[in-house]
Amino acid sequence: MEITTMSQAMQLHAQAIKQGSQPHHQNYSKLFTFFALSPSGDLNYAHNILSSLQTPNTFYWNTMIRAYSNTSDPSESLRMFLAMHIQTDSGRIVPKPDNYTFPFVLRACGKMGDTQMGKRVHCLVLKMGFGVDRFILNSLIHMYGKCGELGCARKVFDEMPERDVVSWTALVDGLVDNGRSVEAIECFGEMVGCGVEVNDATVVAVLRACAEAGALGVGKKVHTIVNDLGIVEKANVSTGLIDMYSKCGCIDSARDVFDNVAFKDVCSWTAMIHGLASHGMSKEAVVLFDVMINSGVKPDERTMTAVLAACRNAGWSSEACVYLNDMRYKYGIMPNLQHYGCIVDLYARSGQLAEAGDFIRKMPILPDAVLWRTLIWACKIHDDSDRAEHLIKELNIDFDDCSNFVLISNIYASSGKWHDKAAVRETMRREGVVKPQGSSKIEVNGRVHEFTAGDSKHAEAGDIFEKLSDINERLRKEGYKPVVSEVLLDMDDEEKAFQLLHHSEKLAVAFGLMKTESRSKIRIVKNLRSCADCHSFMKVISRMYEREIVIRDRIRFHHFRNGECSCGDHW
């Protein structure tokens, strides 16, 4: 008899107690598994059963450790493991950890980002003679990846006597999670070269890498592999393809994948809605959302973030507020900071600075520093430095992270208060705070090239700078003038223009013009928001060189065609 509900399971448990069933009996353990691991079960009930057993074996302990490792707070999983290891649990006989215990414990360490505990568990694995167990080693790779210890993950991987698809996938996943998407793609290529057959988890991992790096060519090859394996209908794979094509600037291809998925879950709908929103196709995004609702699929928090992003990118403040209200009263979803952030960003971008401030102050949940930074940065964009400085003083913003340092430094620079800016920068230097470097990626012939501002490390740097100089000369003849106000440094306009010319996306577009066929699209991925000068620069290039340039920045996509941008200069 299959157990499907908690009520049914409790009745069977009562019968088992009456009949005197022993914990080692198959039916008893099956019940316990349902209580601990089933979505319809009850973890507290399972824990009470474990506490009532006088001599529970490793199966019961491992099941509970596994169950707690699946929760949002897996600390109880580690507590139970330590009780097994130290052999302390209210005087009861506690079984020692076995090879099935460690993968669940390592999962908990990874979710908590507890590197120190993870390394202690690793030492215990070796001490107990499990250092050749492939399942444990795979879990170690995954744990180290989640903790950002990629050197340790790679060392475990390289020293494995035998690797399988899970080993490779764990390494690829770890690289992607830590922002090393290009290395993840290279690792995937090495895996395929070794003849390892990929599975859906591998595909999802490498599609994430392609989406992050804008590696469309590689993504298309992965799509071919997906078709060959016949796994395109798997929800996680189809969603990964939709996300990859969307983030690589091919929204039509994303829509083709979406339309051909027979059974769409909320993740598929959300990926497509988010893709349309990020490409500035806000009307299409909200229409698709209505189709989703009418088809009986209930939205989740991420779906609503995508819909609000569509409103934000179109500047629809009233519509956004309706959707925010519908979240709670129509769909039973409590808005979080990300949802409120979309509204704040919408007001801020459109120059409604007072409205944005009032909205933040009236929020039913406590705003975080990110929301206030959004408003303060908008003050800088809309030339309201007085409001920005007032907010900085009113909020008493602490120098607690790099974002605050950079924000306040730029506000002082935009006001021409170079002495105050210098003081902030000196504090950054003294505290060892490093500003994140802007970078742009472009894929050419299946290889991803990454540039930073003024980058001279590329093998063809000399030719790229020469090409950029030629482009700049042509643009000047067409009347293009650099937006020197974007350079927040105390220097003359000529020096500022030189700085602007060597922004990372301009180096990338110059390389793209050198290496791609005439009239073909140039696709670039940037990790920061595009500046006003680069935006103007790309519009002129798209017209002069008759090229469509697709740039994904931190906020959205920009499709530059014939001297215009799809964002309508609203970004």
Side-chain angles (χ1 to χ4, degrees), residues 292-346:
M292 170 186 150
I293 296 299
N294 291 333
S295 66
V297 178
K298 184 180 178 181
D300 61 15
E301 290 183 353
R302 290 173 297 176
T303 316
M304 298 312 300
T305 300
V307 173
L308 290 172
C311 295
R312 176 195 65 194
N313 290 343
W316 298 338
S317 55
S318 59
E319 290 88 342
C321 290
V322 170
Y323 282 120
L324 188 69
N325 189 64
D326 285 350
M327 282 182 65
R328 179 181 299 177
Y329 300 107
K330 208 171 187 180
Y331 308 120
I333 303 170
M334 292 300 293
N336 59 32
L337 281 171
Q338 195 169 15
H339 301 120
Y340 289 117
C342 286
I343 308 294
V344 172
D345 198 18
L346 194 164

Side-chain angles (χ1 to χ4, degrees), residues 462-472 474 509-511 513-514 545:
D463 294 336
I464 294 169
F465 285 129
E466 186 176 342
K467 179 69 175 178
L468 193 56
S469 179
D470 291 341
I471 293 170
N472 191 50
R474 286 189 61 182
V509 81
F511 185 70
L513 290 170
M514 287 168 51
Y545 287 83

Side-chain angles (χ1 to χ4, degrees), residues 533-567:
D533 180 69
C534 286
H535 197 263
S536 299
F537 189 90
M538 296 301 168
K539 287 200 292 186
V540 181
I541 284 186
S542 69
R543 175 174 54 81
M544 285 184 55
Y545 287 83
E546 298 182 327
R547 293 286 199 107
E548 180 176 349
I549 302 168
V550 182
I551 296 183
R552 186 184 94 209
D553 71 5
R554 186 176 58 82
I555 301 294
R556 61 177 295 167
F557 271 91
H558 302 266
H559 293 257
F560 298 94
R561 304 184 190 94
N562 301 318
E564 296 182 351
C565 180
S566 59
C567 76

Side-chain angles (χ1 to χ4, degrees), residues 55-63 65 80-89 92-102 105 124 127-128 130:
T55 57
N57 58 25
T58 53
F59 166 79
Y60 288 92
W61 280 82
N62 288 344
T63 301
I65 290 173
M80 292 193 68
F81 166 71
L82 291 173
M84 290 181 80
H85 173 50
I86 303 172
Q87 295 288 289
T88 56
D89 187 58
R92 289 192 304 165
I93 297 175
V94 180
K96 278 191 168 293
D98 61 14
N99 57 317
Y100 294 105
T101 312
F102 288 102
V105 175
L124 191 58
K127 189 175 180 180
M128 294 182 69
F130 296 132

Side-chain angles (χ1 to χ4, degrees), residues 440-474:
S440 296
K441 299 185 183 77
I442 181 171
E443 183 195 43
V444 175
N445 298 325
R447 183 186 167 197
V448 177
H449 300 258
E450 186 169 9
F451 298 91
T452 56
D455 196 347
S456 60
K457 297 175 185 176
H458 195 278
E460 299 183 59
D463 294 336
I464 294 169
F465 285 129
E466 186 176 342
K467 179 69 175 178
L468 193 56
S469 179
D470 291 341
I471 293 170
N472 191 50
E473 188 60 33
R474 286 189 61 182

Side-chain angles (χ1 to χ4, degrees), residues 88-251:
T88 56
D89 187 58
S90 304
R92 289 192 304 165
I93 297 175
V94 180
K96 278 191 168 293
D98 61 14
N99 57 317
Y100 294 105
T101 312
F102 288 102
F104 306 133
V105 175
L106 290 168
R107 180 194 298 168
C109 292
K111 286 183 74 171
M112 295 177 69
D114 194 338
T115 307
Q116 186 177 8
M117 177 59 78
K119 288 183 176 180
R120 288 171 62 190
V121 174
H122 189 177
C123 290
L124 191 58
V125 164
L126 299 176
K127 189 175 180 180
M128 294 182 69
F130 296 132
V132 294
D133 186 299
R134 190 169 72 249
F135 298 103
I136 294 177
L137 294 175
N138 288 341
S139 298
L140 280 166
I141 296 169
H142 179 78
M143 180 275 294
Y144 280 127
K146 289 294 181 186
C147 292
E149 295 281 349
L150 291 179
C152 294
R154 188 79 209 204
K155 189 173 188 298
V156 173
F157 179 85
D158 289 340
E159 293 178 355
M160 286 181 73
E162 183 182 351
R163 306 182 190 105
D164 59 12
V165 62
V166 180
S167 317
W168 286 93
T169 302
L171 186 58
V172 172
D173 248 334
L175 289 165
V176 180
D177 286 341
N178 288 276
R180 291 161 67 169
S181 53
V182 176
E183 291 177 56
I185 292 169
E186 292 170 352
C187 183
F188 173 74
E190 186 182 349
M191 172 186 175
V192 173
C194 290
V196 180
E197 186 171 320
V198 305
N199 59 20
D200 60 320
T202 319
V203 165
V204 171
V206 75
L207 285 174
R208 284 202 302 131
C210 294
E212 177 65 27
L216 178 62
V218 179
K220 287 181 175 179
K221 290 178 181 177
V222 176
H223 193 172
T224 301
I225 293 173
V226 165
N227 289 333
D228 291 343
L229 292 174
I231 59 174
V232 71
E233 278 297 327
K234 287 199 169 188
N236 59 341
V237 174
S238 58
T239 300
L241 285 168
I242 294 166
D243 187 58
M244 181 276 294
Y245 279 123
S246 296
K247 289 181 177 174
C248 287
C250 292
I251 195 66

